[in-house]
Amino acid sequence: MRFSFLKTSLLLTTISIVGGLSAADIKLTSNAIKEGSNLTNAQVFNGFGCSGENISPDLNWSGAPKETKAFAVTVYDPDAPTGSGFWHWVVFNIPADATGLASKAGNEKGTLPPGSIQSRTDFGKPGFGGACPPAGDKPHRYIFKVYALKDKIPLDSEASGALVGFYINSLKLAEGKLNAKFGRK
């Protein structure tokens, strides 16, 4: 009986320690977006019935592990009525010494750190695509995430958000997120 108790205690301690070794947290902030806030017209798509400015926000991060070899950034709407959500922005192979992306980095003439790759969003092309939920739908959630990766992702600008997400999850060391929302009447 005593042996069983010790084995159980040891097992629970091990699970607790291993559970604590999951991906660390990165602090993700933005001057344009505050946690839980509504997106402004600057981050709203210009098309599909929306008339926003479609400007990618600045994103800044800190607290990445030393062994980071690259970063990835995604913007995802899990509430899109597609059955699979909607990828609004996918950027990967951001250099390990980067600490953020400037406003408009995801736009046509925006500047990304050298070596960064923007891949296809659910709008059908690379680059930032702002919020544009269906009129009358409940406000959608927009999840901005940065990931520290243990290696670069071996894909190009034609890769889908889901495929990039597969590699992100297999290479992830740490992540940070910023949540916002947006709805139309």
Side-chain angles (χ1 to χ4, degrees), residues 51-109:
S51 56
E53 297 173 46
N54 201 46
I55 296 173
S56 66
D58 69 295
L59 296 172
N60 306 290
W61 55 81
S62 62
K66 289 181 222 168
E67 56 273 14
T68 301
K69 299 283 189 253
F71 290 99
V73 168
T74 63
V75 179
Y76 179 72
D77 171 4
D79 302 316
T82 63
S84 61
F86 200 94
W87 295 99
H88 285 265
W89 197 18
V90 182
V91 187
F92 57 92
N93 293 349
I94 300 166
D97 62 354
T99 57
L101 298 176
S103 176
K104 299 184 181 178
N107 296 103
E108 190 173 327
K109 295 182 181 180

Side-chain angles (χ1 to χ4, degrees), residues 83-147:
S84 61
F86 200 94
W87 295 99
H88 285 265
W89 197 18
V90 182
V91 187
F92 57 92
N93 293 349
I94 300 166
D97 62 354
T99 57
L101 298 176
S103 176
K104 299 184 181 178
N107 296 103
E108 190 173 327
K109 295 182 181 180
T111 303
L112 288 167
S116 302
I117 298 172
Q118 292 188 101
S119 68
R120 232 175 348 103
T121 67
D122 286 333
F123 286 111
K125 62 182 185 173
F128 178 78
C132 187
D137 207 357
K138 67 178 178 167
H140 286 204
R141 295 169 291 159
Y142 295 89
I143 303 169
F144 293 76
K145 282 192 173 185
V146 61
Y147 303 89

Side-chain angles (χ1 to χ4, degrees), residues 33-54:
I33 301 168
K34 301 301 176 216
E35 175 64 31
S37 69
N38 286 312
L39 294 174
T40 67
N41 198 52
Q43 289 83 44
V44 173
F45 192 68
N46 188 12
F48 292 168
C50 290
S51 56
E53 297 173 46
N54 201 46

